[in-house]
Amino acid sequence: MADRRAELERKKQKLAMIREEKERRKREREAKESEDVPMRVTRPDKDLRTETEELLSSLGIPLGSEGSVTRSLNATPDTSLSPIPDQSLSSTQSGTGPVKSLRKQPKLSVVSVHQANIPPKESVTYNKQTQTASTTVDREAHPLDYYIIHWDEEWDDEFQVEEEGEGCSLPSKNLESPSIYPRHNTPHKVAGLPKVEMVRPASAAEGDTPMTPGHTEQQKEEKIKVDLSEEEKQQIMMSEEFHIFFGKASRIVERALYEDLDICVDYTGTGEEQEGDDKSGIRLLLNRCFTDDRWSKNRTITSFDWSAQFPELLVASYNNNEDVPHDPDGVCLIWNMKFKKTTPEHIFHCQSPVMAACFAKFHPNLILGGTYSGQIVLWDNRSNKRTPVQRSPLSASAHTHPVYCVQVVGTQNAHNLISISTDGKFCTWSLDMLSAPQDTMELTHQKQSRAVAVTSLSFPYGEFNNFVVGSEEGSVYTACRHGSKAGVMDMFEAHQGPVTGVDTHRAQGHIDFSHLFLTSSIDWTVKLWSLKDTKPLYSFEDNGDYVYDVSWSPIHPALFACVDGMGRLDVWNLTNDTELPTASLVVDGSPALNRVVWTPTGHQVVVGDDAGKIWIYDVGEQLASPKSNEWSVFMHTLQELQNNQVDQDLDVLTSLSSSIFSSPSTGIR
Amino acid sequence: MASEVEETLKRIQTHKGVIGIIIVNSEGIPIKTTLDNSTTVQYAGLITQLADKARSTVRDIDPTNDLTFLRIRSKKHEIMVAPDKEYLLIVIQNPSG
C-alpha cells in the first residue's frame, strides 16, 4: 500500500510537471505573440518586476534572464499580482518557466502532494411517494394499497425501520417469482434500497395479525439460517414429542392419501356402465391383501382377532422370519379394514414368535400376545414403543411351553386373561399384573395322567366357564374353569391327527345352536360336533390336504369357512350341501393357509397364509346373508344329519354283526 | 426411532400422486421437507398462516373444539395438513395420479 501511494505521488508529481511545462510553453507562445504589445507597458511594470524579483529571490528561487522573466511576467501580470496564498503557485510557475528556458534544468525537488479523496457520505433516503421499480409486474395504480417490500442485501436494516407500518401481505409479485428468499436475486432487481408503498392507514387498526404473519415470517426466514441449523433440526426430529406428533399425523395423512375417491368427478361427460348384477352371483371375490414388506414378509400368520370397540381393526400375529434372524421373532400388526391404506395401523414386535394374539376386550388400547417361549406379552397402542409394555416372567409359575391360546373372558367388571400352553397349563391372569398368574390349573384328562397338549381353544357363545379345547393327540375336550369339577370334563375322540382348529357356533338366532362346534385337523377332515354328544354329527371330507383352520360365520347359522395347506379356501353352506363346499377357491400362489376368520359383519372372510399375507375375500350377498328362516332350515338339516348318522351307525352295527357271523371283519370305520 | 420417521416419510412420498411433504414447527420453520427450498418456505409460511386461521375459526365458533385436519382441494392439487400443538405435517398431492 505504501508503494502504491508513493507511486501515485510520483505520478502526480510527473503530471504536475507536465502540466507546468505545458503551461509554460503556452505562456511563452502567448508571450511571444504579445511581445510587441506589452513592450511599452512594461515600463510601469518595472517596479513590479523588481518587486517580484525581490519576492522571488526572497523565496530562494534563482532568477532567470530578464527578458523571459518580463515576458512571462507580462503575460501573466495578474498572476504575479495575485494574493499571497497563490504566491507559491505563481512563483513556481513563473520561476520554473524562466529557469527552464534560460538555464540548465534546475534541481527539481519532489513535492509530495497529498491528495485526499473523501467520497461523499451516502445518505439513506426514503421516498415516501409511490414508487415502483420499472421492471416489476404492472399493477394498477392503487396508491393506498399495501407494503411491497423488495429486499436485497440491506433489507434487514430497512425492515426494522419500517416496523411502524401496517402489515406486509406477501404480494403476488413475489408469489409469481418463486423465491421470496432474501438472498436470491429477484428478477426485478432493485438496487440497494427497498421501496415502500403507502399504506392504508385505516386498516392498520386491524391489529397485529395482518402484520405479524408476513412480518414475522420474513424475520423467520432470516431466522431460518440463524436459529435452525441442521443439527437443531435433527435434534427436533429425534425428540419424543416429535415422534408422538408424527405417529398420529402420519396415520391420518396416510388414510387420507389412500382414499382415492374423486369427489370432483364429472358424470356428464362419461357414460359409466352400471356395475354388473352378476357381482352378487360371485361367491368369493378377492377384495384386498394386507401385507407389509418389512414386517410381515415370510412370516406365517398364527392368529387373528377383532377389536370389540372398533370392528374394523384386526390384529394379526406372526411367526418368525427364518430368513432374517436379526429381526424380532414375534411380530403383531394391527390392520385397518376401513381405509384403503396398505400399511398397518400399528406395528408391534417382541423377541419370541407370537403364537396367539387378541385384543383385550374391555381395554381398547391393549393387545395381548402369547408367545412360543411361554411368555404373555402386553402391548399398548398409546405408547410410542413397539415393544411390549408388560411381559410375564419366564418362570415355572407361568408357562414354560408355547402358548397357543389367549383369550379375554368375562364381563366389563370381572374379566380375566386366559392362556393355555401346550403342556396343558391353564393360567388365569389379571390384566393389570402380568408378573404372576392369578390362577393356574393343569388340564389333565382323568383317565390319562398326561396333560392335554392344547392347540386351540374356543368358548361357546355366552359362556365364561365351560370351554372346548383341541389337542395334539387329535382329541377334543370340554373343560370348565371354576366349579367343583374344574378341569377337563368330556373327551371326544375326534381326529386322527392333531386338532388345528376348534370353533363354536356363533350366529345368534331364535334357535340356539351354541352347542355345535367344528373341529379341523391334520387328518384332512372337518368335523361337526354337538356338546351333547361324544360322537361327531358329521364329517366333511372334501379336502385333500391338512385343514388348518375352520370358522363359523357370525351371522349365518349354517355357513362356515375352512382353509387347508394347498391354498384352498372353502365356504360351506350346510343347508345347501353337506358334501361339497358351496364356494371354493384357491388363493393366488397356493400358499398354505394357516388361519381363517370372518369379519364381524359376516360378509368377508379373512385368510392368513404362511408367507405373511392376509387375504380378504368378499362373500357374495346371497351366500353370506342368512334368510329369516335360515335357523329353522338349519335345524332341519341338523336333524337330517343326525338321522343319517344314526342310520349309518345302524348300518355299521348290522354290517358288523353280519360280518361277524359271515366272515372275519375287516376294519370298518 | 428417527429411521421410522424416515421410513414413513419415504412411504408417503412414494405414494401415487404425492408431490411433497413438509414438516414445520409451530413458528412455521420447516424442519423436514422433500421439496426444494424456495417452494418449502413458501408453503410453510402460507400454510401455517392458513392453519392458524382455520384453528382460530374453529375455536371461535366453539371454544371446546379444535382443528384436527385440514384439506384444501384445488383444481390441480390437494394439500393435506395434519396440525398439532407443536408441529404441522403438510402433504401435497395430485389426486388424479
Side-chain angles (χ1 to χ4, degrees):
Chain A
M1 279 303 283
D3 305 335
R4 285 193 68 222
R5 238 185 250 140
E7 270 186 33
L8 277 168
E9 284 173 19
R10 265 180 258 129
K11 283 188 188 152
K12 282 177 202 155
Q13 285 151 24
K14 280 186 194 159
L15 277 171
M17 272 172 58
I18 293 166
R19 242 185 270 134
E20 287 163 20
E21 282 188 28
K22 267 197 194 163
E23 279 190 54
R24 234 185 293 128
R25 284 195 206 109
K26 214 172 76 180
R27 253 179 273 127
E28 281 169 352
R29 260 184 267 123
E30 282 175 21
K32 280 174 192 158
E33 283 172 31
S34 57
E35 203 179 0
D36 305 346
V37 177
M39 261 330 228
R40 286 172 194 126
V41 190
T42 56
R43 299 292 153 118
D45 291 15
K46 264 201 179 148
D47 300 331
L48 288 168
R49 214 188 311 135
T50 48
E51 270 182 46
T52 51
E53 281 172 14
E54 279 164 24
L55 278 169
L56 284 172
S57 58
S58 70
L59 285 171
I61 293 170
L63 295 170
S65 72
E66 301 288 280
S68 58
V69 171
T70 51
R71 249 181 269 139
S72 57
L73 281 177
N74 291 336
T76 60
D78 295 334
T79 54
S80 55
L81 286 171
S82 59
I84 296 174
D86 290 339
Q87 201 178 40
S88 58
L89 208 63
S90 55
S91 60
T92 47
Q93 277 183 350
S94 47
T96 48
V99 167
K100 187 193 180 233
S101 53
L102 294 176
R103 290 205 190 169
K104 58 178 182 286
Q105 287 287 343
K107 296 186 190 71
L108 295 173
S109 60
V110 177
V111 178
S112 60
V113 179
H114 289 283
Q115 272 191 8
N117 198 3
I118 302 164
K121 182 169 182 192
E122 258 190 46
S123 60
V124 175
T125 56
Y126 292 89
N127 289 327
K128 283 203 120 182
Q129 311 153 0
T130 307
Q131 281 187 4
T132 47
S134 54
T135 55
T136 55
V137 172
D138 285 329
R139 296 193 69 102
E140 290 176 325
H142 297 300
L144 303 174
D145 254 352
Y146 35 72
Y147 268 164
I148 293 175
I149 293 192
H150 315 281
W151 48 86
D152 291 330
E153 277 76 15
E154 297 93 29
W155 75 274
D156 34 0
D157 305 329
E158 273 70 78
F159 202 79
Q160 307 310 328
V161 180
E162 291 307 315
E163 258 176 69
E164 71 277 3
E166 196 234 58
C168 326
S169 59
L170 291 175
S172 64
K173 298 181 199 207
N174 286 327
L175 292 183
E176 278 156 43
S177 68
S179 68
I180 46 175
Y181 227 50
R183 292 289 179 262
H184 293 186
N185 281 329
T186 54
H188 34 277
K189 183 79 174 146
V190 178
L193 305 175
K195 301 200 170 32
V196 175
E197 279 196 345
M198 186 56 112
V199 164
R200 197 191 310 140
S203 52
E206 291 303 306
D208 305 328
T209 39
M211 170 167 138
T212 41
H215 184 95
T216 49
E217 186 247 326
Q218 283 146 9
Q219 280 178 338
K220 273 175 237 150
E221 284 164 13
E222 188 196 19
K223 271 187 211 159
I224 286 170
K225 293 186 210 68
V226 179
D227 285 2
L228 281 199
S229 61
E230 266 307 310
E231 293 150 357
E232 289 190 33
K233 289 188 194 177
Q234 282 296 333
Q235 251 189 341
I236 290 178
M237 288 188 61
M238 298 277 195
S239 70
E240 182 60 29
E241 55 176 35
F242 181 83
H243 284 116
I244 295 174
F245 147 75
F246 192 76
K248 279 190 287 183
S250 64
R251 280 193 196 101
I252 300 176
V253 160
E254 281 203 70
R255 285 183 216 145
L257 271 179
Y258 275 88
E259 219 69 48
D260 53 7
L261 302 168
D262 188 9
I263 55 174
C264 307
V265 80
D266 181 17
Y267 286 106
T268 57
T270 60
E272 258 190 302
E273 283 185 342
Q274 286 291 326
E275 292 288 330
D277 285 351
D278 48 283
K279 251 263 182 87
S280 50
I282 298 171
R283 304 291 182 69
L284 283 173
L285 192 64
L286 176 65
N287 187 329
R288 62 194 296 192
C289 173
F290 280 134
T291 181
D292 186 84
D293 266 346
R294 169 82 178 82
W295 290 107
S296 74
K297 202 162 177 194
N298 214 18
R299 294 173 185 260
T300 310
I301 292 169
T302 50
S303 78
F304 286 125
D305 191 33
W306 295 99
S307 166
Q309 287 83 6
F310 302 108
E312 67 267 17
L313 290 184
L314 168 72
V315 65
S317 61
Y318 296 79
N319 205 350
N320 64 337
N321 185 348
E322 290 107 3
D323 296 338
V324 191
H326 294 295
D327 266 2
D329 276 349
V331 169
C332 219
L333 302 180
I334 298 189
W335 298 94
N336 193 328
M337 301 267 302
K338 196 151 93 166
F339 298 107
K340 296 208 179 63
K341 78 167 186 162
T342 59
T343 49
E345 279 287 322
H346 293 278
I347 298 172
F348 299 116
H349 49 73
C350 70
Q351 285 314 311
S352 171
V354 184
M355 308 313 294
C358 70
F359 275 99
K361 264 200 202 99
F362 307 102
H363 297 267
N365 297 307
L366 303 180
I367 295 106
L368 294 150
T371 63
Y372 196 78
S373 60
Q375 270 187 325
I376 311 291
V377 288
L378 176 73
W379 288 285
D380 192 331
N381 68 2
R382 289 169 294 199
S383 81
N384 245 352
K385 300 196 303 171
R386 289 180 171 181
T387 49
V389 292
Q390 262 199 77
R391 267 184 220 105
S392 74
L394 282 168
S395 74
S397 59
H399 295 284
T400 50
H401 276 68
V403 176
Y404 273 94
C405 320
V406 281
Q407 206 162 339
V408 175
V409 285
T411 55
Q412 171 77 39
N413 297 323
H415 55 269
N416 292 109
L417 170 68
I418 289 189
S419 60
I420 313 182
S421 57
T422 51
D423 60 352
K425 200 148 186 200
F426 176 99
C427 287
T428 314
W429 306 78
S430 158
L431 284 173
D432 308 317
M433 206 180 66
L434 285 184
S435 53
Q438 268 184 353
D439 188 27
T440 63
M441 191 167 66
E442 283 282 335
L443 289 174
T444 54
H445 193 227
Q446 290 93 343
K447 289 183 195 140
Q448 306 148 2
S449 50
R450 288 179 300 170
V452 171
V454 172
T455 56
S456 45
L457 160 75
S458 182
F459 274 82
Y461 190 86
E463 270 279 350
F464 303 134
N465 197 14
N466 301 306
F467 55 94
V468 183
V469 286
S471 72
E472 273 177 7
E473 297 105 32
S475 349
V476 176
Y477 301 88
T478 55
C480 69
R481 287 170 62 195
H482 313 292
S484 53
K485 281 177 52 170
V488 173
M489 292 187 313
D490 299 319
M491 181 177 109
F492 302 81
E493 286 278 1
H495 290 276
Q496 272 128 348
V499 174
T500 52
V502 176
D503 198 25
T504 47
H505 196 269
R506 260 176 290 138
Q508 293 307 298
H510 54 95
I511 305 174
D512 179 35
F513 291 117
S514 55
H515 58 97
L516 293 176
F517 64 94
L518 285 163
T519 58
S520 65
S521 157
I522 304 266
D523 69 352
W524 298 14
T525 65
V526 175
K527 289 198 182 10
L528 173 66
W529 307 78
S530 168
L531 284 171
K532 303 169 193 161
D533 200 1
T534 52
K535 282 245 168 58
L537 285 175
Y538 197 75
S539 173
F540 303 93
E541 288 166 30
D542 187 55
N543 290 84
D545 199 351
Y546 305 159
V547 184
Y548 279 108
D549 201 11
V550 66
S551 179
W552 283 105
S553 161
I555 54 171
H556 196 299
L559 205 62
F560 69 90
C562 65
V563 286
D564 73 1
M566 287 199 308
R568 231 176 86 181
L569 163 69
D570 298 323
V571 176
W572 296 74
N573 186 336
L574 292 176
T575 45
N576 208 351
D577 188 356
T578 57
E579 292 290 320
L580 287 174
T582 314
S584 171
L585 61 77
V586 178
V587 167
D588 222 6
S590 300
L593 302 174
N594 202 33
R595 279 270 173 245
V596 65
V597 280
W598 290 77
T599 57
T601 57
H603 290 117
Q604 284 170 318
V605 177
V606 180
V607 178
D609 69 4
D610 66 344
K613 288 208 172 104
I614 301 178
W615 306 86
I616 301 184
Y617 286 91
D618 288 333
V619 182
E621 274 296 310
Q622 292 168 345
L623 185 58
S625 304
K627 295 179 269 294
S628 48
N629 63 344
E630 206 65 56
W631 277 260
S632 22
V633 174
F634 187 51
M635 191 70 171
H636 287 295
T637 319
L638 276 180
Q639 278 297 110
E640 277 184 32
L641 287 174
Q642 277 174 335
N643 294 342
N644 289 344
Q645 194 66 29
V646 169
D647 290 340
Q648 262 187 4
D649 291 341
L650 277 173
D651 290 338
V652 165
L653 279 171
T654 50
S655 59
L656 247 179
S657 52
S658 61
S659 63
I660 284 172
F661 293 123
S662 58
S663 59
S665 58
T666 51
I668 299 167
R669 215 170 68 82
Chain B
M1 283 287 257
S3 63
E4 288 170 20
V5 172
E6 295 290 336
E7 209 181 287
T8 312
L9 276 177
K10 201 162 68 141
R11 208 172 52 221
I12 299 178
Q13 174 67 24
T14 50
H15 187 267
K16 183 183 78 148
V18 168
I19 296 169
I21 311 167
I22 306 167
I23 302 177
V24 288
N25 70 354
S26 49
E27 292 163 2
I29 307 179
I31 295 178
K32 188 101 176 88
T33 175
T34 63
L35 299 166
D36 60 279
N37 214 344
S38 48
T39 319
T40 299
V41 169
Q42 187 177 29
Y43 269 103
L46 296 168
I47 301 285
T48 310
Q49 288 179 49
L50 184 63
D52 286 341
K53 188 69 182 166
R55 178 183 267 137
S56 65
T57 307
V58 167
R59 290 184 77 95
D60 282 346
I61 294 171
D62 179 3
T64 60
N65 205 350
D66 195 11
L67 180 69
T68 51
F69 197 66
L70 184 62
R71 215 166 168 176
I72 305 156
R73 189 80 190 262
S74 71
K75 275 199 279 197
K76 293 185 195 165
H77 302 135
E78 176 160 23
I79 304 172
M80 286 173 270
V81 181
D84 191 61
K85 285 195 305 294
E86 270 292 305
Y87 304 98
L88 213 68
L89 173 66
I90 304 166
V91 177
I92 305 134
Q93 186 199 21
N94 184 356
S96 50

